[in-house]
Amino acid sequence: MVETEVDPEIPLPPLQEAALDEATLDRLFLDIAAAAELVSVSLKAGATARAGDVPRAGSDELVLARRALRDGTALGAQIRYRFAGSEWCDTLLRTPSGVRLVRVRIEDALGACAAPTSRRGSTRRERE
């Protein structure tokens, strides 16, 4: 196995992680449907395959994604939505004990990408 040296100056966006049981996962889908503006839903079919984007059908996208996670036709889902003035991305991955949630605020991720990338301190935005 090859180890890659990580530059300690490379900033990473803050992530929120949680292990969800089925009831909590159901509540997450209900909360997003009720309180957020849905941007997109994508499904992951397998280790190397992508199930694709869920057809735009309003809140039905969330119902289809939840069903695919429950019945195993999707091993994961990525849900992008707007809530409280920010855009969020929730990645849901099936695990033997339930579902793993990784959440990131898009603005934080973009900010990390624009942070200094060289020792001179220039940012990607400054170079563009």
Side-chain angles (χ1 to χ4, degrees):
M1 182 166 79
V2 177
E3 290 188 20
T4 304
E5 189 173 311
V6 176
D7 185 342
E9 293 182 26
I10 298 175
L12 297 174
L15 301 175
Q16 299 171 10
E17 294 185 71
L20 308 179
D21 60 21
E22 293 297 320
T24 306
L25 184 62
D26 286 340
R27 184 71 203 159
L28 172 67
F29 276 85
L30 290 171
D31 287 348
I32 292 172
E37 176 190 347
L38 196 59
V39 173
S40 67
V41 178
S42 296
L43 299 177
K44 179 74 173 158
T48 60
R50 184 168 166 242
D53 295 328
V54 176
R56 293 290 299 189
S59 63
D60 290 344
E61 291 175 272
L62 290 173
V63 171
L64 295 171
R66 178 63 186 109
R67 186 177 304 136
L69 282 171
R70 183 180 290 122
D71 68 20
T73 56
L75 298 181
Q78 195 166 66
I79 303 169
R80 289 182 70 149
Y81 57 93
R82 289 184 191 89
F83 175 74
S86 293
E87 188 169 326
W88 298 86
C89 180
D90 285 2
T91 301
L92 302 161
L93 301 168
R94 271 255 158 243
T95 66
S97 60
V99 172
R100 178 176 173 230
L101 165 67
V102 178
R103 175 176 288 159
V104 64
R105 193 171 68 131
I106 300 299
E107 291 87 353
D108 292 340
L110 293 175
C113 292
T117 56
S118 72
R119 306 239 184 255
R120 290 177 291 180
S122 66
T123 66
R124 181 175 290 158
R125 281 191 191 137
E126 291 170 344
R127 290 191 306 267
E128 291 176 346

